[in-house]
Every structure is written in C-alpha cells, then in structure tokens.
Amino acid sequence: MKKSIIALLLMAPTVNASGLLLQEAVTANAGTAGAGDGVYTESAAASWTNPATMSFMGEQLTTINAMLLHLNMDYIDHSPAQNNGQATTTMPSIGMFHVRKISDELHLGINFGVVGGSSIEYGSDWAGAPYLDKAFMTAVQLNPNLSYQVNDNLSVAVGAQLNYGLLEASTSTLQTDLGYDWAYGFTVGAMYNRDNWSLGLSYHSTLTHDFSVKASSELIQEPIPVNTQLVIPAIVDLSGRYTINEAVTLLSSVQFHQWSEFKETALYNENVSQSIDRQWQDVWKFAVGGEYQLNDKWALKAGFSYETSPQDDPSLQWVDLPVGEQYRYSFGARTKWDEKTVDLFYEFADFGSMPIQRQVGPNPGNIDGLPDLNGTFEGNIHFIGVNVSF
C-alpha cells in the first residue's frame, strides 16, 4: 500500500516545451517561430502576446488558428534491464481571437486558446512505468484585453488571464480521475509603432493551479485523494519589427520565462507528503525571422528560435517533465483569399537529449523497491497549421 501511494505521489502531469508552454495555438506569426509576435498587427492573435498591438489593427480584426501537432518522446534506458520507452501523440489545437475598435482611443479584444499541455502514453513496460504510464494535461485561456492609443505612435494595454486546467495521469498500478482548476492572472503591454519599425513590451503574470484528484487501483479498497500544484511562469516579451523595403521585413523577439518559481512539485494527501525536487532556472528564448513579399498575392516567411534549459542536472530531471535546450525551425506562407488573409505554416521543435540519473530514495538505493532511473529522453514535435484573419 505504502509503495503504491508513494509511486502515485511521485507522478505529475506530463508536458514539455519550456516546461509547460506549447503556445503555437496562440502564436500570431507561427511561420517565423513566433518572432515579432508582440508587434505583429496582421493577426488578432498578436493581442495574446501583447494586447497593445490592438490599437494598430483598424476597426476590427478576427483570427482563427487551427493546428495539428505530433509529439515524439523516446526513453533510452542505460540500466542493465534496458527497459526503453516510446510515446507518440497526435492532437489538434485551436485559438480564436477578436479585436474591435470601440472609440477613437480604445480597442477591446477577447482571446480564447490552448496555452499549454500535452497527452502522452509510454505504456507499462518501460523503466519509468511505476511513476508514469500515461498522462493528459491541458490549459485553455480566456483573455479579455483593453488597449488605449496615447498618440499616433504609442499604445498601452491591460488584460486578464482566466486559465482553466485539466489533469489526468496514471502509473503502471494507479489511475487518477480527471482533475480541473481555475487560475487567474493579468497581462500588461505597450507598443511604439513607426512606418518602418515597431517595438513592443509585454508582461504575463504567474498562474498557479491547485489540482485535487482521486487515484484508484486494484490494490486499494478506497480511492486515494491526492493534491498537487502546477505553476505557469511569468513571461516578459520584447518584440521588434524593422521593414527594410516594400519586400523585406525583419522580426525578432526575446522572452524571459520565470521558471525559477518552479522549485519543487509537492504531492500530498492526509497520510503521505512527497515533493519532486525541481530547482528549475529561468529560461530565455530568442527568436529571429523574416517575411518576403514575393508578389501581390503571396508572402514567404521563415524563422528560428532557441530556448535555454530550465534544468541541466540529470539528478534533478524527472519522468513527467524532462527538459533541456530547445530549437525551433519554422517556415510559412501568407496569401489573400477574397477579404481573408490565410497563413500556412510548419514548425519543428527539437528537444535534443535530456539525460536523467534520478535517485528516487533519499539515500543510495530506493524506497520500498521503487527503481532509480538512469537513461536519456529524446524528443521533438512537428506542428502544421493554418491561421485565417478577416
């Protein structure tokens, strides 16, 4: 019994990409790996990154983002047993954004989209199965915003983050029910816009989810209540645009993700308390991209981004959130179709190799026969999607 409870309490939601962030569904300029999102005014989705962009979107603008992602995650076991694991997931994602001018100075916007999460299943035969078999976690956000145009070049904005999280997970012996929780935060932004250049700065506050689930097993007569907390970090975005000529525009973004708040994951009930030691560090993301106006109908896009790793110590990695440096490569095309603007894009996210040498017990050995872990995670995601603005 104690072994089963501890195994459950060492299990947490599985997601990746700068920890919990898979934000492609709310990216305005996905064909450039998100470069320049905080100043991009051709898509209403830019109001999610920086609500101050709304002041430069005209009378009204609506954007719908639809995307399909394919996640690959492999575990190469370095122990003598060589119990490797593999998980693949294909799932859709969507975002909807609307901006409307309500006076000479004010624009109102409302956004709805998936801002993080994943679904993954390794099965019950790999080395980490006592801690994680399969998991589902998603976070969707309703994001109302209001921008104020100070003058022809400058705007400021404020918004609310209403985040709804869902969580379900299992080990090789335990299964939780579906947990859910609301979390609340705010967004502020500013943008300065000239004919051939723009600069935008925005801040998204920290969001904290408190999940309560019940776990069941054939070995347990009554379901076990388990509580855990999930942190989505504060994000600072600095974006820029520089138009060289009528055909070429350069875009860039620098983001700061405050993952240092994610020191540990506490999992507990009235009988047992256990923490997963994280000791994550803050993450920096750098993105560069460009657009080339090929002709009256078509524009081509490309971009690249790099994210630092929140944790490089193999002894502090864990099965639910293996993390490392990330590289994103993206390209896309934009065209006009009647009164609509259609963006097509592909993006590849490379997580590289993420070694884990986790000692489960407080001393050499392990707790109640639960295995220590020695191996390497390798992962990537393919994204393909279309954004329509009208």
Side-chain angles (χ1 to χ4, degrees):
M1 178 73 71
K2 181 181 178 183
K3 176 180 175 179
S4 297
I5 294 174
I6 292 174
L8 177 70
L9 295 177
L10 289 172
M11 172 189 67
T14 294
V15 280
N16 212 303
S18 181
L20 309 177
L21 307 179
L22 290 176
Q23 297 179 335
E24 277 70 12
V26 292
T27 297
N29 207 5
T32 64
D37 245 38
V39 293
Y40 191 72
T41 58
E42 302 298 317
S43 166
S47 62
W48 187 89
T49 301
N50 184 0
T53 57
M54 298 190 301
S55 294
F56 303 99
M57 292 183 184
E59 293 293 327
Q60 69 172 27
L61 186 62
T62 300
T63 298
I64 298 174
N65 293 358
M67 180 189 73
L68 191 69
L69 69 85
H70 181 75
L71 167 67
N72 300 285
M73 189 66 72
D74 294 318
Y75 177 75
I76 298 94
D77 189 15
H78 298 166
S79 72
Q82 293 188 331
N83 291 326
N84 298 332
Q86 183 178 40
T88 60
T89 300
T90 301
M91 60 187 296
S93 189
I94 192 168
M96 295 176 285
F97 316 86
H98 179 70
V99 173
R100 178 180 291 273
K101 185 175 182 178
I102 57 177
S103 74
D104 289 341
E105 294 84 16
L106 295 176
H107 277 70
L108 179 66
I110 186 74
N111 303 324
F112 176 80
V114 178
V115 295
S118 182
S119 175
I120 199 165
E121 182 173 357
Y122 285 100
S124 58
D125 296 328
W126 75 297
Y131 314 113
L132 182 68
D133 172 358
K134 58 183 177 181
F136 166 77
M137 186 271 171
T138 191
V140 295
Q141 187 174 120
L142 185 66
N143 177 217
N145 298 300
L146 186 68
S147 72
Y148 176 76
Q149 189 154 10
V150 179
N151 55 43
D152 290 344
N153 304 114
L154 178 65
S155 66
V156 293
V158 64
Q161 299 182 81
L162 313 176
N163 221 64
Y164 186 68
L166 296 168
L167 168 66
E168 185 177 18
S170 68
T171 71
S172 54
T173 58
L174 291 161
Q175 170 70 52
T176 74
D177 59 3
L178 184 64
Y180 54 88
D181 182 64
W182 283 97
Y184 308 97
F186 66 91
T187 305
V188 293
M191 178 176 170
Y192 189 84
N193 185 57
R194 303 284 290 189
D195 289 339
N196 67 332
W197 65 274
S198 302
L199 193 65
L201 180 66
S202 64
Y203 173 81
H204 289 237
S205 68
T206 302
L207 297 169
T208 303
H209 284 286
D210 292 297
F211 288 106
S212 296
V213 297
K214 290 184 178 181
S216 58
S217 168
E218 294 180 355
L219 303 176
I220 302 172
Q221 294 182 350
E222 297 292 334
I224 304 170
V226 179
N227 304 302
T228 188
Q229 193 174 77
L230 189 63
V231 175
I232 299 175
I235 301 173
V236 179
D237 179 276
L238 177 65
S239 292
R241 169 191 65 89
Y242 181 70
T243 300
I244 296 177
N245 53 44
E246 292 183 354
V248 179
T249 298
L250 302 180
L251 300 161
S252 64
S253 292
V254 177
Q255 286 191 349
F256 171 78
H257 301 169
Q258 197 175 8
W259 277 117
S260 57
E261 298 180 6
F262 199 44
K263 295 296 185 183
E264 64 179 16
T265 301
L267 301 105
Y268 56 93
N269 62 21
E270 60 183 8
N271 298 314
V272 179
S273 178
Q274 181 77 41
S275 293
I276 302 172
D277 192 17
R278 304 285 188 181
Q279 299 302 317
W280 278 18
Q281 301 168 359
D282 295 329
V283 165
W284 288 93
K285 177 181 177 181
F286 306 91
V288 293
E291 295 188 12
Y292 176 71
Q293 193 67 44
L294 188 63
N295 51 44
D296 291 342
K297 284 286 188 180
W298 287 92
L300 303 180
K301 306 180 182 183
F304 166 79
S305 73
Y306 164 74
E307 293 180 22
T308 61
S309 173
Q311 182 52 263
D312 294 320
D313 186 346
S315 70
L316 292 173
Q317 293 277 20
W318 190 235
V319 296
D320 63 333
L321 286 171
V323 290
E325 295 178 328
Q326 294 180 30
Y327 300 84
R328 278 174 161 76
Y329 310 87
S330 184
F331 62 87
R334 185 180 74 245
T335 188
K336 294 287 186 179
W337 183 37
D338 295 331
E339 298 299 317
K340 302 177 179 66
T341 299
V342 180
D343 283 276
L344 307 170
F345 69 89
Y346 167 79
E347 183 174 299
F348 176 73
D350 183 7
F351 303 151
S353 296
M354 298 161 284
I356 178 173
Q357 296 174 358
R358 190 74 178 223
Q359 180 181 290
V360 178
N363 301 302
N366 50 53
I367 300 176
D368 286 349
L370 293 171
D372 294 339
L373 293 175
N374 181 15
T376 301
F377 287 95
E378 295 180 352
N380 60 67
I381 303 181
H382 298 268
F383 301 91
I384 187 169
V386 58
N387 303 347
V388 181
S389 299
F390 52 92

